[in-house]
């Protein structure tokens, strides 16, 4: 069997909001390696066309304590700071007292077996760097927001259907990203599929721009509605598709 070498495509995520929950814990792997793992929930509030929206963005966190050379992993140290020092809404009870944060990471594939035995998959945010920021920083970085920027291969573009089974005017983009560099091994999982909605005002132009098999650079807005957001501290944020 011939060796296959892959080149990683662009895959970055930026999340700017308030720390809602810190669910991190120290642990040990089966082979005795110390680690830190869990998730951090970031509350992203925005105003879109006059509508207040609130999103809970769950960021997965994992790092071993030591690198292969025996030195302490800088990511581990950073995550310890998040666990021990970051103020979350859950801890302080007051949203405005919780820390503002900028999380940088990537989009990844989450595969799991549901209770009925069905294999399911979805996309999730994998966090890498956490930085506490100020209100001015939020404005300078055009937040609050949760946006993934990926280079991907177009697998298909189809109409989104409404509740009556008729085209809504929006399009559904199916594509995949390669998040792997080097020689492909038997158990490697280099492909990250994703699906996104193209808004009606961009749908026709988007469909004319891309054919199946084309590679494009896409800016994907990550959404996870929780409840109506307060109008306080909400900045107008417009995110959508970009093309190269």
């Amino acid at each position: 069997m011939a060796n296959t070498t892959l080149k990683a495509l662009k895959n970055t995520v930026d999340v700017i909001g308030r720390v809602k929950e810190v669910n991190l814990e120290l642990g040990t792997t089966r082979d005795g390696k110390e680690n830190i793992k869990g998730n951090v929930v970031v509350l992203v509030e925005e105003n879109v066309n006059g509508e207040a929206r609130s999103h809970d963005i769950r960021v997965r966190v994992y790092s071993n304590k030591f690198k292969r050379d025996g030195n302490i992993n800088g990511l581990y140290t950073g995550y310890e700071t998040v666990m021990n020092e970051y103020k979350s809404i859950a801890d302080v009870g007051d949203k405005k007292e919780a820390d503002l944060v900028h999380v940088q990471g990537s989009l990844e594939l989450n595969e799991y077996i549901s209770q009925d035995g069905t294999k399911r998959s979805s996309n999730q945010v994998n966090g890498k760097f956490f930085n506490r920021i100020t209100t001015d920083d939020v404005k300078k970085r055009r937040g609050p927001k949760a946006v993934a920027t990926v280079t991907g291969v177009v697998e298909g573009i189809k109409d989104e259907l409404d509740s009556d089974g008729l085209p809504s005017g929006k399009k559904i983009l199916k594509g995949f990203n390669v998040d792997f560099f080097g020689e492909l091994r038997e158990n490697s999982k280099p492909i990250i599929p994703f699906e996104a909605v193209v808004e009606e005002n961009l749908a026709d132009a988007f469909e004319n721009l891309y054919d199946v098999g084309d590679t494009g650079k896409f800016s994907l807005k990550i959404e996870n509605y929780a409840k109506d957001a307060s109008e306080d501290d909400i900045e107008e944020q417009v995110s959508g598709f970009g093309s190269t």
Side-chain angles (χ1 to χ4, degrees):
M1 178 177 177
N3 292 334
T4 301
T5 301
L6 296 180
K7 180 179 180 181
L9 301 178
K10 184 177 181 65
N11 178 351
T12 62
V13 169
D14 285 281
V15 179
I16 296 176
R18 288 199 182 268
V19 180
K20 186 172 184 179
E21 298 177 17
V22 176
N23 305 306
L24 299 179
E25 62 180 8
L26 303 179
T28 307
T29 64
R30 292 181 178 178
D31 55 357
K33 295 179 180 179
E34 296 177 72
N35 61 20
I36 187 169
K37 60 184 177 180
N39 64 75
V40 176
V41 180
V42 180
L43 175 64
V44 177
E45 295 183 319
E46 59 174 357
N47 188 310
V48 180
N49 299 324
E51 177 189 352
R53 296 180 183 177
S54 176
H55 307 273
D56 285 349
I57 307 300
R58 188 177 302 274
V59 180
R60 188 184 77 88
V61 171
Y62 182 88
S63 176
N64 287 327
K65 184 173 183 178
F66 298 102
K67 297 187 291 186
R68 292 182 178 180
D69 61 8
N71 292 318
I72 293 181
N73 193 324
L75 292 177
Y76 179 95
T77 303
Y79 300 155
E80 271 195 316
T81 299
V82 175
M83 182 175 67
N84 296 325
E85 299 181 14
Y86 277 31
K87 294 183 292 184
S88 69
I89 298 173
D91 289 333
V92 301
D94 185 346
K95 181 177 68 177
K96 292 186 177 181
E97 293 297 320
D99 284 324
L100 290 165
V101 67
H102 180 190
V103 183
Q104 295 171 287
S106 60
L107 204 63
E108 66 178 13
L109 179 64
N110 177 33
E111 293 184 310
Y112 60 96
I113 304 297
S114 64
Q115 292 184 346
D116 61 5
T118 304
K119 183 178 179 180
R120 300 183 183 277
S121 63
S122 62
N123 292 118
Q124 66 181 8
V125 177
N126 178 42
K128 191 171 185 180
F129 301 112
F130 288 75
N131 289 288
R132 281 177 287 191
I133 58 177
T134 66
T135 302
D136 286 341
D137 290 330
V138 173
K139 294 178 180 179
K140 290 177 183 177
R141 303 179 194 194
R142 301 181 65 188
K145 64 181 179 181
V147 177
T149 303
V150 300
T151 299
V153 178
V154 175
E155 287 189 294
I157 302 172
K158 64 181 182 179
D159 290 323
E160 181 194 63
L161 303 180
D162 60 21
S163 58
D164 296 322
L166 300 175
S168 68
K170 300 178 181 180
K171 299 289 183 180
I172 301 294
L173 164 68
K174 283 192 172 184
F176 65 86
N177 170 271
V178 178
D179 190 25
F180 187 91
F181 181 83
E183 182 181 326
L184 185 62
R185 298 179 177 83
E186 183 177 352
N187 296 324
S188 300
K189 294 183 179 181
I191 303 302
I192 300 177
F194 61 86
E195 189 172 297
V197 176
V198 184
E199 294 297 330
E200 187 173 356
N201 63 326
L202 296 173
D204 290 339
F206 186 88
E207 189 170 31
N208 292 330
L209 185 62
Y210 293 106
D211 292 320
V212 173
D214 285 350
T215 299
K217 182 180 178 182
F218 309 108
S219 179
L220 310 176
K221 184 178 176 185
I222 304 169
E223 295 188 332
N224 183 28
Y225 290 97
K227 59 183 179 180
D228 291 339
S230 166
E231 295 293 337
D232 296 337
D233 300 327
I234 297 179
E235 298 291 334
E236 183 76 15
Q237 175 64 30
V238 180
S239 301
F241 282 89
S243 60
T244 300

